Amino acid sequence: MTADSGTHAGHGEAVSPDPPRTPELVLCAVDEPLAAAWSSAVADVVGSVRVHRGSVLDIPAQAVVSPANSYGWMRGGIDAVYARAFPGIEQSVRSAVLASYGGELPIGESVIVPTGESEPAWLISAPTMREPGERLPADTVHPYLAARAVFLQWQRGQLDSGSVASAVRTIAMPGLGTGVGGVAPATCARQVAAAWQEVFGANGHLR
C-alpha cells in the first residue's frame, strides 16, 4: 500500500500538524462472546485499545470500519447498518474501489471514504471476504489482513485535507468476519491484536 493508496478526498476537515503515533482503537461487540474474546486478546495491550460492549455507532469516533466484501456491496450485517446510517455510502465505497482497484478491492487492502456526517466522518472499508455472503474457512487469516489494512490506512493514508492520521484520532471496529463469515470470535480477536502489534510495534504499548 502506498502513502495515498485507497484514499478518497476529504472536505476540508481541520487537521493536527503533529498526529499521534497510533490511533485509539475501540473494539466493539454487541454480543458477549465477541466482547469476551476482544477483552482476552487485548489484555496485554494498554493505552490505545479498549473494548466497548455495544454498537460501533455508539462510539465518538472519526472513523468506523466496514468488514465488507471486495466489491463494496453493503447489504448485510454491520455493512447494512452503515448503509442505513450513511445514505449513499455503498456507492461511495464502490466508486473508490473502482477508481483505485478497477472494481475489486483485494483482501489486505482498504479504501477510506467520507460518510457525509460530522462524526464519524470517515468509513474505512477493508474486506474480509471476496464475495458477498462468503463463509470463511476455520484457518482463515482474513481478519488479520483486514485489520492490518485498516491500521496501514491510518498510518500511511492521505486525504485531500492531509494525512488520515491527522484527521482520525479514534477508530471504531466491529468484529471482522464474525457474522456472515463465520469466523470464531477468538480467532478474529487474536488476529486483530497481531495486526496491531505488527503495524505499530512498540508504539502499541504492549507490555
Side-chain angles (χ1 to χ4, degrees):
M1 178 182 294
T2 62
D4 58 359
S5 138
T7 62
H8 256 211
H11 295 286
E13 290 82 359
V15 295
S16 166
D18 187 21
R21 287 184 288 178
T22 74
E24 177 189 33
L25 178 65
V26 183
L27 301 167
C28 303
V30 294
D31 58 81
E32 187 54 33
L34 181 57
W38 282 142
S39 297
S40 177
V42 303
D44 291 329
V45 178
V46 299
S48 297
V49 181
R50 63 184 175 91
V51 177
H52 169 70
R53 286 170 164 79
S55 170
V56 68
L57 294 178
D58 293 341
I59 302 300
Q62 292 73 52
V64 292
V65 175
S66 166
N69 52 79
S70 292
Y71 302 102
W73 295 113
M74 302 178 69
R75 307 295 172 86
I78 187 63
D79 288 315
V81 174
Y82 291 147
R84 290 192 296 271
F86 314 125
I89 195 69
E90 181 184 73
Q91 187 56 52
S92 295
V93 170
R94 287 177 52 77
S95 294
V97 171
L98 180 62
S100 297
Y101 294 94
E104 181 177 342
L105 181 60
I107 307 296
E109 299 289 335
S110 70
V111 293
I112 182 168
V113 299
T115 64
E117 301 291 331
S118 59
E119 193 172 86
W122 302 98
L123 180 139
I124 303 173
S125 181
T128 55
M129 59 188 68
R130 182 171 184 265
E131 301 282 349
E134 182 180 344
R135 189 82 173 177
L136 299 174
D139 62 350
T140 184
V141 295
H142 287 188
Y144 164 80
L145 293 173
R148 182 175 180 272
V150 169
F151 302 148
L152 289 175
Q153 183 70 257
W154 183 88
Q155 188 181 67
R156 304 176 182 177
Q158 293 292 322
L159 308 165
D160 280 356
S161 55
S163 69
V164 174
S166 294
V168 174
R169 298 181 304 278
T170 299
I171 298 172
M173 178 181 286
L176 304 182
T178 55
V180 174
V183 175
T187 299
C188 168
R190 284 195 303 269
Q191 291 189 19
V192 170
W196 175 272
Q197 170 65 349
E198 177 179 328
V199 173
F200 296 117
N203 291 336
H205 309 295
L206 267 73
R207 286 197 285 257

